[in-house]
């Protein structure tokens, strides 16, 4: 570690001046916020090479236009109207040989890139192992092969996950040994068919809950071994949630993780959740790992550590927040600012008991869903509630492993990195989660799902409250009739 003095380390913004950055996963949640922060807080940054995969309905130029029009860039548009001029889309795909990048684009990247942020990955917990290996493991290998040829490379920052080693209750800032050599698994995938692979996947992943965490651990191991000699750093965020402060408090653009659950609770759909009431909900606001990525790249490039440093971006061990505390806050928010057109009044039961959870699921989820679908059929409408609940249950099952236990992480490198920043950079590129005030953050998070995911305006709150009152009266009437009949 280098002791910070005014003469040894430049400021973060100074370091990024005229530097060209290559970003994978730039159209994802973390990627969007990373690009916005680099543009706004490092205004003299050079080009941003963004790997973009064309879709059936959109080419890469259309995807880049859609990216630039995201609400996340409103601040940047006011300060830098021509910010899009720094975007250089690179046509590519993580699953194609050599990333599917043309020779012309490869030559440009090799000659001009200084900094690499690799955040592209499949984050689906139930992804087939073959697809997860292709994206999360082989994708890293392809990136290493490409970046080794970069003539001006100063740093390669890899976005992993804090749950890459979730089979351990205490996780340190090291790359742990993998249960199998990545290359052996890659070789086996070449001769196994999908049915055989699906059959042995549970044995392969062992104590890991899913293919996502399994392949992310393999990716770290492969990166460190095959990227030997490269200036590499690894950042491990936990469950990435809505923004804390920047670019907009509560901004969110996906239903992953807790976001979909908050909406399900607010709509009155989710009535029972299996989790540890006292367990830690390790959610990290997206702007915290984004600021850490930027600072980690700066520190790695200017100090050149001899070892690959791992950085944890989690809250559990320094600013713990339990699922029980979360339930209270979320319920209070939805009572004050309800969602539009709720299915039932918001009310959720948190339990660790498997039998009670299955009982509540049957009584409070499936029975109302089938009754509602019967009503839709009688009205000549397409039934939908059972399908919605089946999808909700699949999502909940994927999360149960993480809601039923807690982990501890070490933060030595986080604290070291904070100490290396100037006071001004600590304010601009904040990534220490200790000052996070959970009640305020959770309220903004819930309101963010209402505004940015559901596109509901606050002007509709009086009507939403009236709808909840109507649902309450229906419930009271039903209970009264039932009591009389009994």
């Amino acid at each position: 570690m280098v002791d910070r003095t005014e003469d040894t380390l430049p400021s973060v913004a100074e370091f990024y001046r005229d530097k060209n950055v290559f970003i994978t996963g730039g159209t994802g949640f973390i990627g969007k916020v990373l690009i916005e922060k680099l543009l706004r807080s490092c205004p003299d940054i050079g080009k941003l090479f963004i790997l973009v995969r064309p879709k059936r309905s959109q080419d890469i130029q259309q995807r880049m236009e859609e990216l630039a029009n995201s609400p996340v860039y409103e601040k940047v548009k006011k300060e830098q109207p021509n910010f899009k001029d720094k975007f250089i889309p690179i046509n590519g795909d993580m699953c194609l040989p050599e990333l599917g990048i043309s020779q012309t684009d490869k030559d440009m990247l090799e000659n001009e890139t200084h900094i690499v942020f690799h955040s592209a990955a499949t984050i689906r917990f139930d992804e087939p192992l073959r697809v997860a290996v292709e994206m999360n493991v082989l994708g890293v290998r392809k990136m290493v092969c490409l970046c080794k040829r970069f003539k001006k490379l100063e740093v390669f920052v890899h976005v992993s996950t804090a749950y890459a080693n979730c089979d351990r209750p205490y996780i340190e800032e090291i790359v742990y040994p993998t249960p199998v050599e990545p290359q052996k698994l890659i070789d086996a995938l070449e001769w196994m068919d999908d049915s055989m692979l699906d059959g042995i996947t549970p044995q392969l992943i062992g104590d890991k809950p899913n293919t996502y965490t399994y392949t992310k651990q393999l990716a770290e191991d492969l990166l460190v071994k095959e990227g030997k000699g490269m200036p590499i750093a690894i950042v491990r965020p936990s469950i990435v949630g809505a923004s804390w402060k920047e670019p907009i408090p509560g901004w969110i653009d996906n239903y992953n993780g807790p976001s979909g659950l908050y909406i399900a609770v607010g709509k009155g759909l989710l009535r029972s959740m299996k989790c540890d009431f006292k367990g830690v909900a390790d959610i990290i606001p997206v702007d915290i790992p984004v600021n850490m990525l930027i600072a980690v790249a700066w520190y790695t490039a200017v100090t050149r550590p001899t070892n690959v440093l791992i950085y944890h971006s989690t809250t559990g061990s320094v600013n713990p927040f339990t699922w029980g505390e979360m339930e209270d806050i979320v319920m209070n928010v939805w009572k004050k600012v309800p969602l539009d057109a709720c299915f039932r009044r918001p009310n959720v039961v948190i339990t660790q008991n498997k039998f009670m959870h299955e009982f509540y699921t049957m009584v409070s989820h499936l029975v109302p869903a089938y009754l509602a679908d019967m009503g839709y059929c009688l009205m000549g409408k397409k039934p939908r509630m059972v399908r919605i609940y089946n999808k909700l249950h699949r999502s909940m099952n994927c999360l149960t492993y993480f809601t039923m236990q807690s982990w501890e992480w070490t933060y030595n490198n986080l604290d070291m990195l904070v100490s290396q920043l100037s006071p001004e950079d600590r304010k601009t590129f904040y990534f220490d989660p200790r000052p996070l005030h959970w009640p305020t953050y959770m309220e903004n998070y819930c309101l963010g799902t209402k505004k940015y995911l559901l596109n509901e305006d606050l002007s509709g709150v009086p009507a939403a409250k009236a709808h909840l009152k109507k649902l309450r009266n229906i419930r009271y009437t039903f209970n009264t009739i039932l009591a009389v009949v009994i």
Side-chain angles (χ1 to χ4, degrees):
M1 187 180 80
V2 176
D3 291 331
R4 177 172 184 101
T5 68
E6 293 300 322
D7 297 327
T8 55
L9 302 183
S11 71
V12 175
E14 287 171 355
F15 163 72
Y16 279 93
R17 180 179 291 125
D18 299 324
K19 297 289 173 63
N20 300 323
V21 182
F22 178 38
I23 300 172
T24 70
T27 57
F29 183 43
I30 290 179
K32 289 176 184 175
V33 180
L34 173 62
I35 292 169
E36 193 275 343
K37 182 67 174 182
L38 286 171
L39 289 169
R40 185 165 46 82
S41 298
C42 305
D44 296 322
I45 197 169
K47 301 172 186 175
L48 297 181
F49 300 115
I50 304 171
L51 188 72
V52 184
R53 176 176 57 87
K55 292 183 175 180
R56 288 181 182 178
S57 58
Q58 291 179 308
D59 59 25
I60 63 169
Q61 296 297 340
Q62 290 172 317
R63 292 200 70 190
M64 289 303 298
E65 192 65 29
E66 183 181 60
L67 175 69
N69 290 330
S70 170
V72 77
Y73 299 109
E74 289 301 320
K75 282 185 181 179
V76 175
K77 283 180 183 177
K78 294 176 183 178
E79 298 170 7
Q80 304 173 48
N82 299 320
F83 74 97
K84 289 189 291 185
D85 294 346
K86 295 187 177 183
F87 289 177
I88 309 293
I90 304 295
N91 193 328
D93 188 330
M94 297 302 298
C95 293
L96 293 178
E98 298 185 6
L99 303 174
I101 300 176
S102 69
Q103 189 58 50
T104 302
D105 284 344
K106 281 183 191 173
D107 292 341
M108 178 172 59
L109 291 171
E110 289 172 15
N111 291 318
E112 299 185 35
T113 304
H114 301 95
I115 301 161
V116 176
F117 292 107
H118 177 49
S119 69
T122 175
I123 59 173
R124 283 183 54 188
F125 286 172
D126 56 352
E127 195 78 81
L129 183 58
R130 189 183 303 278
V131 179
V133 169
E134 182 67 46
M135 278 289 294
N136 297 346
V137 183
L138 288 174
V140 168
R141 169 174 285 173
K142 295 168 189 175
M143 284 293 295
V144 169
C145 291
L146 175 67
C147 295
K148 276 185 174 179
R149 300 196 294 266
F150 289 3
K151 298 172 183 176
K152 300 178 181 179
L153 182 66
E154 297 185 31
V155 60
F156 180 108
V157 183
H158 173 65
V159 181
S160 184
T161 172
Y163 297 105
N165 303 284
C166 59
D167 47 345
R168 299 171 180 268
Y170 183 78
I171 302 168
E172 299 177 87
E173 296 149 307
I174 60 174
V175 175
Y176 287 96
T178 55
V180 61
E181 281 291 323
Q183 187 56 49
K184 289 184 179 179
L185 177 61
I186 294 167
D187 292 339
L189 293 183
E190 292 183 1
W191 59 266
M192 283 188 186
D193 60 31
D194 290 342
S195 59
M196 182 185 298
L197 183 59
D198 292 343
I200 67 167
T201 293
Q203 286 74 40
L204 285 173
I205 66 177
D207 293 332
K208 293 283 199 305
N210 50 53
T211 57
Y212 170 69
T213 55
Y214 178 68
T215 54
K216 292 299 271 187
Q217 184 191 14
L218 295 179
E220 288 187 3
D221 182 80
L222 184 143
L223 174 62
V224 170
K225 290 177 180 175
E226 299 192 4
K228 191 172 183 180
M230 293 173 63
I232 293 172
I234 298 174
V235 174
R236 293 174 177 163
S238 53
I239 303 171
V240 181
S243 55
W244 174 20
K245 300 177 184 178
E246 296 176 339
I248 310 163
W251 185 75
I252 184 75
D253 77 339
N254 63 82
Y255 292 86
N256 298 330
S259 305
L261 296 181
Y262 298 157
I263 291 174
V265 170
K267 289 287 188 181
L269 295 168
L270 181 58
R271 317 288 286 185
S272 175
M273 185 171 173
K274 188 180 178 185
C275 73
D276 182 357
F277 193 84
K278 297 180 180 179
V280 174
D282 208 303
I283 297 169
I284 193 78
V286 64
D287 38 337
I288 290 182
V290 161
N291 285 328
M292 177 176 276
L293 286 169
I294 295 171
V296 163
W298 161 82
Y299 180 77
T300 306
V302 298
T303 66
R304 292 284 178 149
T306 54
N307 299 319
V308 175
L309 297 183
I310 317 290
Y311 300 83
H312 288 147
S313 186
T314 63
T315 56
S317 299
V318 290
N319 189 359
F321 180 63
T322 67
W323 292 104
E325 292 171 321
M326 180 189 297
E327 179 215 6
D328 290 339
I329 295 170
V330 171
M331 289 301 302
N332 287 331
V333 171
W334 292 141
K335 287 177 182 177
K336 292 189 296 182
V337 189
L339 298 176
D340 298 347
C342 290
F343 178 61
R344 298 175 69 186
R345 288 187 304 154
N347 186 32
V348 63
V349 174
I350 288 180
T351 178
Q352 290 179 265
N353 187 286
K354 182 179 179 180
F355 172 79
M356 292 302 296
H357 173 65
E358 291 179 352
F359 173 77
Y360 285 131
T361 297
M362 175 63 69
V363 173
S364 296
H365 288 184
L366 297 180
V367 171
Y370 279 104
L371 290 175
D373 278 355
M374 286 175 58
Y376 283 128
C377 290
L378 292 174
M379 292 187 292
K381 296 182 179 180
K382 187 178 179 180
R384 59 179 181 174
M385 294 312 301
V386 172
R387 177 173 51 83
I388 289 174
Y389 269 110
N390 286 337
K391 187 176 181 180
L392 177 62
H393 291 159
R394 285 196 298 271
S395 299
M396 290 168 56
N397 290 337
C398 288
L399 290 172
T400 298
Y401 179 89
F402 303 95
T403 60
M404 287 294 291
Q405 46 191 323
S406 303
W407 291 264
E408 287 187 44
W409 288 272
T410 57
Y411 297 89
N412 297 327
N413 290 335
L414 180 150
D415 292 333
M416 176 277 294
L417 188 59
V418 170
S419 71
Q420 297 300 298
L421 291 169
S422 68
E424 294 78 14
D425 280 344
R426 288 178 199 171
K427 293 178 183 178
T428 304
F429 302 98
Y430 56 91
F431 53 81
D432 189 339
R434 293 175 180 92
L436 176 65
H437 183 248
W438 283 107
T440 303
Y441 171 69
M442 288 307 306
E443 182 170 347
N444 287 334
Y445 195 156
C446 290
L447 296 179
T449 62
K450 178 180 175 70
K451 181 177 181 179
Y452 300 110
L453 294 182
L454 301 178
N455 296 314
E456 295 182 4
D457 196 87
L458 291 178
S459 61
V461 169
K465 287 184 175 180
H467 180 67
L468 285 186
K469 187 177 290 187
K470 180 181 175 182
L471 291 175
R472 183 196 64 186
N473 293 338
I474 291 172
R475 175 66 184 270
Y476 287 169
T477 302
F478 175 79
N479 288 349
T480 301
I481 293 173
L482 186 64
V484 170
V485 170
I486 292 174

